[in-house]
Amino acid sequence: MDFTHLDHRGSAYMVDVTDKKPTVRTATAVGQVACSPEVLQALRDGTVPKGDVLAVARIAGISAAKKVPELLPLAHTIGVHGCSVELEIKDDHVAISATVRTADRTGVEMEALTAVSVAALNVIDMVKGVDRSAYIRTCGITAKSGGRSGDWSREL
């Protein structure tokens, strides 16, 4: 297997995408934050002391998708042309989904993962005063499209 971020000496470097043609690319990631029944009810009722957890987490996730090159040293600066972050209260967790779109030279998988991760961290930050045991249960890519490798999907 060839690792594209390693040179012939095994040193990490940023892949040059100059010659790649911009194409429409999309990636979706999902995650879950496990919470106590009390927190889930407070989220449903809108009574979490720190405010509207889901709205703040949604904006945090969108903001995070646009900051990936600041966090991941080998990530390219690309145009995040669309980003949706959705949060839904389930029976034993908060489900998070992020879909990121671009028309650029490289994919947006890291942007989608970062959006979900930061939204999840935001949920935990805002509920930790009520539930110190809240934790991120999953986070992963469920679909991508565009680019040389084409379309890919899986269930998580």
Side-chain angles (χ1 to χ4, degrees):
M1 174 183 281
D2 290 331
F3 293 100
T4 59
H5 285 76
L6 298 177
D7 67 14
H8 66 279
R9 295 182 309 270
S11 298
Y13 77 102
M14 186 176 195
V15 173
D16 186 347
V17 297
T18 305
D19 292 334
K20 291 174 85 174
K21 300 265 187 266
T23 61
V24 174
R25 299 158 184 266
T26 303
T28 299
V30 299
Q32 296 178 358
V33 176
C35 300
S36 69
E38 295 78 24
V39 164
L40 294 168
Q41 192 58 53
L43 288 168
R44 284 185 193 96
D45 296 341
T47 58
V48 174
K50 287 192 173 183
D52 189 343
V53 175
L54 304 184
V56 175
R58 182 177 302 107
I59 297 303
I62 292 167
S63 291
K66 298 187 288 184
K67 295 184 179 291
V68 166
E70 296 172 34
L71 302 169
L72 304 176
L74 301 180
H76 293 88
T77 300
I78 62 171
V80 173
H81 299 124
C83 180
S84 67
V85 177
E86 302 299 327
L87 294 96
E88 185 177 354
I89 302 164
K90 300 288 192 173
D91 289 340
D92 66 342
H93 66 278
V94 176
I96 305 167
S97 174
T99 299
V100 180
R101 290 179 48 87
T102 191
D104 219 317
R105 291 177 167 87
T106 189
V108 285
E109 293 91 341
M110 293 302 102
E111 287 75 6
L113 285 167
T114 301
V116 168
S117 298
V118 170
L121 290 170
N122 193 91
V123 170
I124 291 171
D125 181 50
M126 291 185 75
V127 304
K128 69 182 185 246
V130 181
D131 181 7
R132 296 215 177 270
S133 67
Y135 67 96
I136 299 170
R137 188 158 53 194
T138 61
C139 182
I141 294 290
T142 56
K144 64 139 321 253
S145 66
R148 184 178 51 211
S149 62
D151 297 353
W152 177 88
S153 67
R154 70 169 171 179
E155 293 292 321
L156 235 182

